[in-house]
Amino acid sequence: MGYRVYSGPHGSPAVPALEREQMLYKEFDKLDDALGWARRLSRSNRVALAIAGDDGTSLTKADIAAALRHPDTAEFDRTS
């Protein structure tokens, strides 16, 4: 199973699902790893625009931002 993190520069608009096939992405085996990468991106000049999983998982830019603000994701601060 894989999770793909699509990213772009800060200020990029959300990406429609149909356009994702034309974008570069980084792939991870676990959703936790994908969210960890999204957090790492947010500390640079890039932002995670979407996360798509082989299991049907589909997180939008807003979903990712909310997940990264949630207290349960504090563990990513220690591992990133």
Side-chain angles (χ1 to χ4, degrees):
M1 179 153 339
Y3 296 90
R4 292 165 301 286
V5 180
Y6 299 89
S7 63
H10 276 285
S12 295
V15 179
L18 294 175
E19 291 181 23
R20 290 183 194 157
E21 290 184 17
Q22 302 170 7
M23 296 180 65
L24 294 176
Y25 59 86
K26 186 165 175 94
E27 193 162 15
F28 299 89
D29 292 331
K30 297 185 229 171
L31 182 57
D32 286 348
D33 294 338
L35 286 170
W37 179 251
R39 179 174 299 283
R40 183 172 285 170
L41 285 172
S42 71
R43 294 179 181 150
S44 67
N45 62 347
R46 301 187 63 73
V47 64
L49 301 174
I51 295 177
D54 293 339
D55 62 354
T57 299
S58 180
L59 299 175
T60 65
K61 183 179 175 180
D63 295 333
I64 296 165
L68 295 180
R69 284 192 305 267
H70 195 277
D72 287 347
T73 61
E75 69 183 85
F76 294 116
D77 285 333
R78 292 189 300 271
T79 60
S80 298

